[in-house]
Amino acid sequence: MPEKFDVIVVGAGPAGIACAYELAKAGVNVLLIERGEYPGSKNVMGGVLYRKMMEEIVPDFHKEAPLERPIVEQRFMMMDKSSAVTFSYKGMEWASEPFNNFTVLRAKFDQWFASKAVEKGALLLNETVVLECIVEDGKIVGVRTDRPDGELRADVVVLADGVNSLLAKSLGFHKEFRPDEVALATMEVLKLDKKIIEDRFNLEEGQGCTIELFGDATKGILGTGFLYTNKDTLSIGVGTLLSGLIKHKIKPYELMEYVKTHPMIRPYIHSAEPQEYLAHLIPEGGYHSMPKVVAAGVLVVGDAAQLVNAIHREGSNMAMTSGRLAAETIIAAMSRGDFSEPSLDEYRKKLMGSFVGQDLKKYKDATHHFDKFPQYFEQYIPMVNRAASQMLTVDGASKREKQKKIWRDIGPAKEKFKIARDLFRAWKVMK
Ligand code: FAD
């Protein structure tokens, strides 16, 4: 007779662990299955963890979790080939409790987070791949794993198996994602002395900074780069839609090398030693690409449900919130003894009513818009850089002359009209 649990959660990333933690806390008999050697061993993230959503699960987590640095400054670099227009926000309210967000290294963080779920009573099974869901009478009743006695039963199965969830796909919840629905990101962790990091990034002891890179960091392809400070390492990465890589015939590692040697980035990472190289997909299709997330006996959470806000590089927070909401729904369904689709649909309603659904809806057309009109990254960011260079170079020309030249350089009236129209369109998809 296969073993029976109340709930089986597949995948020990932020979504799955959050779900297992909340269920175990409520006394539910939950099994968390992870294919990696340990939670986090297969997981990749630039590294910004959001305090609020984590705290809703483990209050005061920052006192014991393996965090790298609290972020006190967020910079945004609009890059051209040898220049950048940068803006930033730095606030000392982020340097102390309650903090805003933190950099983390997932291999350490996920292990710690999973250990908290185990402390609450969840059973963690590592190095086990879930091959498929078991369906009986139109209801999910368990999973089949690659273990010798691999069949496990449960009232509910939670799919938290990450982007491109093969399990959700095999249930017919989504098709193979198109290249314009997923980004491929590569990142490196570079070792650098703690004091050098603080001097280079203008930080006081223990504080952290994030830099998001736009424009030439991706050679104008829709995507972003990032450079984040950890305790004694830097995380640097670049990601673009797969469709962009295919169209421009660029390999991800070529983009990575390009960013690392870019004159705006090189000085930050000078003499830093590569420690790790990672690559991963990011679901960026947003609201329109969300698969079915509920059926009888099954819920889909986190990246597996395409819950990523690519505009604000938020994913881990959406994953955790979806895991928590799934757990709440299951606990209520258990009290009714009803695991049918209408009963579990409470999860979808809660999700869409939360910041997760609201933000996905707000930016529902953004990725597709910027993908369709590449001029924002290819043309307008270099244009802003040229204008800044002209305006800020003191060469004897009057400021009014400079303004006129910048205006002339934009091109004929037709071109100016096109830019105005594009700005209006951008405002419409972002508002
Ligand atoms: P995952 O973290 O992918 O976890 C899924 C887990 O399921 C994995 O542990 C995997 O091994 C396991 N698994 C998969 N299939 C099976 C199976 N069949 N059987 C058993 N186990 C299985 N988000 C942020 O909030 N901030 C950032 O700064 C940020 N930066 C990012 C940078 C990069 C380069 C990338 C790639 C992503 C970034 N994200 C960021 C997004 C964030 O990492 C994800 O949104 C988040 O990890 C999703 O969590 P998850 O639990 O849904 O999936």
Side-chain angles (χ1 to χ4, degrees):
M1 199 46 193
E3 211 169 333
K4 165 100 195 301
F5 295 85
D6 292 332
V7 181
I8 293 174
V9 179
V10 184
I17 303 173
C19 186
Y21 180 97
E22 291 289 303
L23 289 168
K25 194 174 82 179
V28 175
N29 179 19
V30 54
L31 173 69
L32 176 60
I33 305 180
E34 169 55 42
R35 68 179 169 180
E37 200 185 324
Y38 54 86
S41 60
K42 299 238 177 227
N43 296 346
V44 182
M45 183 163 107
V48 180
L49 177 88
Y50 300 89
R51 188 259 313 164
K52 174 87 174 98
M53 293 77 199
M54 184 63 208
E55 203 170 63
E56 282 167 354
I57 298 160
V58 186
D60 283 344
F61 72 97
H62 64 84
K63 294 187 178 146
E64 57 166 307
L67 305 170
E68 294 296 312
R69 290 172 184 263
I71 295 158
V72 298
E73 182 176 8
Q74 303 199 32
R75 295 181 204 162
F76 304 86
M77 245 189 206
M78 319 280 273
M79 291 161 64
D80 198 1
K81 292 204 177 339
S82 58
S83 65
V85 172
T86 305
F87 57 97
S88 93
Y89 175 76
K90 185 168 187 173
M92 283 307 113
E93 75 279 12
W94 290 347
S96 53
E97 290 196 43
F99 302 104
N100 182 30
N101 42 38
F102 300 88
T103 44
V104 292
L105 294 168
R106 287 283 300 274
K108 288 190 206 165
F109 181 80
D110 288 9
Q111 265 191 93
W112 171 84
F113 192 17
S115 76
K116 300 308 284 181
V118 170
E119 257 175 42
K120 291 283 170 202
L123 184 64
L124 172 64
L125 191 58
N126 288 322
E127 296 185 276
T128 305
V129 180
V130 171
L131 303 172
E132 61 179 351
C133 294
I134 304 170
V135 188
E136 281 175 8
D137 301 326
K139 178 186 177 316
I140 310 303
V141 293
V143 296
R144 206 159 279 122
T145 71
D146 64 348
R147 296 226 162 201
D149 297 321
E151 206 175 298
L152 297 160
R153 299 257 161 172
D155 290 327
V156 183
V157 173
V158 178
L159 302 182
D161 51 337
V163 58
N164 207 14
S165 167
L166 296 177
L167 299 171
K169 189 173 154 220
S170 68
L171 293 174
F173 289 5
H174 66 82
K175 299 200 180 82
E176 185 74 47
F177 290 117
R178 297 188 315 265
D180 63 349
E181 291 180 300
V182 280
L184 178 59
T186 50
M187 70 170 274
E188 281 187 32
V189 178
L190 309 172
K191 180 102 183 130
L192 191 63
D193 181 78
K194 180 173 170 295
K195 183 78 178 62
I196 298 178
I197 293 179
E198 283 154 7
D199 289 347
R200 245 178 229 180
F201 288 81
N202 189 29
L203 298 164
E204 284 180 38
E205 195 180 343
Q207 295 176 353
C209 164
T210 60
I211 311 181
E212 311 298 332
L213 315 171
F214 301 95
D216 198 52
T218 55
K219 296 196 172 192
I221 305 170
L222 179 60
T224 54
F226 60 86
L227 178 58
Y228 300 157
T229 57
N230 304 318
K231 272 191 183 128
D232 57 2
T233 56
L234 300 173
S235 292
I236 184 166
V238 61
T240 62
L241 284 182
L242 265 183
S243 52
L245 290 173
I246 296 166
K247 187 169 150 207
H248 290 83
K249 297 190 174 61
I250 295 182
K251 308 261 181 327
Y253 60 82
E254 289 169 354
L255 266 188
M256 186 71 200
E257 275 318 299
Y258 185 71
V259 173
K260 284 173 66 185
T261 51
H262 194 284
M264 296 300 109
I265 300 303
R266 212 167 43 215
Y268 283 115
I269 61 168
H270 172 67
S271 77
E273 288 294 323
Q275 254 196 342
E276 257 185 292
Y277 183 88
L278 307 144
H280 208 274
L281 291 174
I282 308 179
E284 296 208 345
Y287 182 75
H288 293 303
S289 303
M290 268 184 78
K292 184 176 165 71
V293 294
V294 181
V298 69
L299 298 173
V300 188
V301 297
D303 274 15
Q306 291 266 322
L307 307 180
V308 164
N309 177 347
I311 303 287
H312 291 261
R313 62 105 162 86
E314 292 178 24
S316 62
N317 55 344
M318 295 190 156
M320 286 175 188
T321 297
S322 64
R324 180 174 62 75
L325 296 176
E328 273 177 30
T329 306
I330 294 168
I331 292 163
M334 284 176 81
S335 69
R336 295 189 293 270
D338 180 359
F339 306 107
S340 64
E341 181 167 338
S343 169
L344 294 179
D345 196 50
E346 194 57 31
Y347 161 64
R348 189 189 53 78
K349 291 182 193 144
K350 284 182 179 189
L351 187 69
M352 298 322 287
S354 73
F355 84 95
V356 179
Q358 299 292 313
D359 287 355
L360 290 182
K361 260 189 212 157
K362 172 169 158 58
Y363 296 120
K364 66 184 185 335
D365 296 318
T367 303
H368 301 294
H369 176 78
F370 294 116
D371 188 34
K372 190 165 161 203
F373 301 105
Q375 57 266 36
Y376 292 96
F377 279 48
E378 282 175 7
Q379 248 180 289
Y380 301 158
I381 291 181
M383 197 182 272
V384 169
N385 273 267
R386 283 195 301 275
S389 172
Q390 281 181 23
M391 208 59 199
L392 300 174
T393 302
V394 178
D395 56 5
S398 75
K399 301 300 179 236
R400 199 168 298 281
E401 267 177 82
K402 282 173 179 288
Q403 266 169 237
K404 279 187 186 157
K405 178 161 177 6
I406 292 169
W407 189 242
R408 256 195 332 268
D409 285 353
I410 293 173
K414 209 169 102 194
E415 189 59 26
K416 291 182 179 104
F417 173 75
K418 188 172 148 269
I419 294 173
R421 190 191 56 194
D422 283 347
L423 289 176
F424 177 68
R425 278 176 171 162
W427 172 78
K428 265 181 67 182
V429 293
M430 299 282 279
K431 77 175 188 325

